[in-house]
Amino acid sequence: MKIADKFTLSRIILSPFFFALYFLPTWTNFPAVVSVCIIIPLLAFMEFTDFLDGLFARKMNAVSDFGKLFDPFADVLVHLTTFCCFVISGYMPGLIFMLILYREFGMNFVRLMAVKKGVAIGARKGGKFKTVLYVVTTFYCLAVESCARLGIDISVAATGLDVCRLALFGLCLCAAYGSFFDYLIHFGSLLRDKNQ
């Protein structure tokens, strides 16, 4: 396995650990303060590996069709895992989560159909922008949750924080479907059955 793919694999392996560590203080007597010291660096590392796998793939001239499929799969797994945490914690509206989930499954179908036609769909600018919004929103919610776990009173700014949180999730939803339609426009021909 190439170095770039190993970085990608690390995100897949660490995603369930993030989920478990996020809820560990709820399920057990694990100190909430300690959990903050673990989950923030863990998420930062997972997101950093997304940068590293692309960097090493280009630097070592190891860009492959496998990597073009493996990398977005790992990204989706990380972001759906964190979003699931935020739905359960009450930060993310369930409707937005479900719509994003449908989008990601739809995109996965498009990629599978493309592979059937011998095409590996790489990331487009819209997809990259969507990912950046996902990351920003994830760290924003994690920062708010961390304040609660550390006993930092942010109730004075609660209304403003809630508006910002909902706005970010709304932007994530718009970017998700905007990029999805962009992929459909550019690769929609791959979904047509020539035998029909």
Side-chain angles (χ1 to χ4, degrees):
M1 181 178 284
K2 299 174 183 177
I3 295 178
D5 294 333
K6 289 180 180 179
F7 282 123
T8 304
L9 179 62
S10 70
R11 294 203 297 285
I12 294 174
I13 294 173
L14 291 174
S15 290
F17 282 98
F18 177 88
F19 185 87
L21 289 167
Y22 183 90
F23 289 107
L24 201 57
T26 304
W27 298 335
T28 68
N29 293 323
F30 192 79
V33 174
V34 177
S35 71
V36 171
C37 298
I38 298 174
I39 58 177
I40 291 180
L42 178 60
L43 182 61
F45 174 77
M46 287 193 294
E47 295 296 354
F48 187 53
T49 61
D50 188 22
F51 166 76
L52 290 177
D53 60 19
L55 177 67
F56 275 87
R58 291 187 296 272
K59 186 176 180 180
M60 303 181 70
N61 196 25
V63 177
S64 64
D65 288 345
F66 175 75
K68 289 179 181 178
L69 295 173
F70 198 38
D71 178 59
F73 172 75
D75 290 346
V76 168
L77 190 64
V78 170
H79 296 137
L80 289 182
T81 298
T82 55
F83 284 169
C84 184
C85 291
F86 297 143
V87 170
I88 296 173
S89 298
Y91 291 109
M92 184 178 191
L95 176 60
I96 292 181
F97 175 76
M98 289 305 299
L99 289 173
I100 287 178
L101 183 67
Y102 294 152
R103 183 271 182 198
E104 299 300 346
F105 273 108
M107 191 62 225
N108 188 51
F109 176 76
V110 172
R111 290 185 187 279
L112 289 174
M113 289 300 294
V115 168
K116 185 179 178 182
K117 300 292 180 64
V119 178
I121 298 178
R124 290 178 58 80
K125 288 183 179 179
K128 292 180 179 179
F129 177 69
K130 175 218 68 172
T131 299
V132 170
L133 273 176
Y134 280 11
V135 173
V136 170
T137 304
T138 297
F139 276 102
Y140 177 85
C141 291
L142 195 56
V144 174
E145 173 65 18
S146 296
C147 286
R149 295 188 182 196
L150 295 173
I152 301 173
D153 186 10
I154 55 174
S155 58
V156 176
T159 301
L161 291 172
D162 284 343
V163 170
C164 186
R165 170 177 55 82
L166 292 174
L168 283 171
F169 279 122
L171 288 173
C172 284
L173 183 62
C174 291
Y177 277 90
S179 66
F180 182 54
F181 292 135
D182 176 61
Y183 280 107
L184 288 180
I185 291 171
H186 285 84
F187 301 101
S189 61
L190 297 173
L191 301 178
R192 301 190 190 103
D193 189 347
K194 295 181 180 179
N195 295 322
Q196 291 184 348

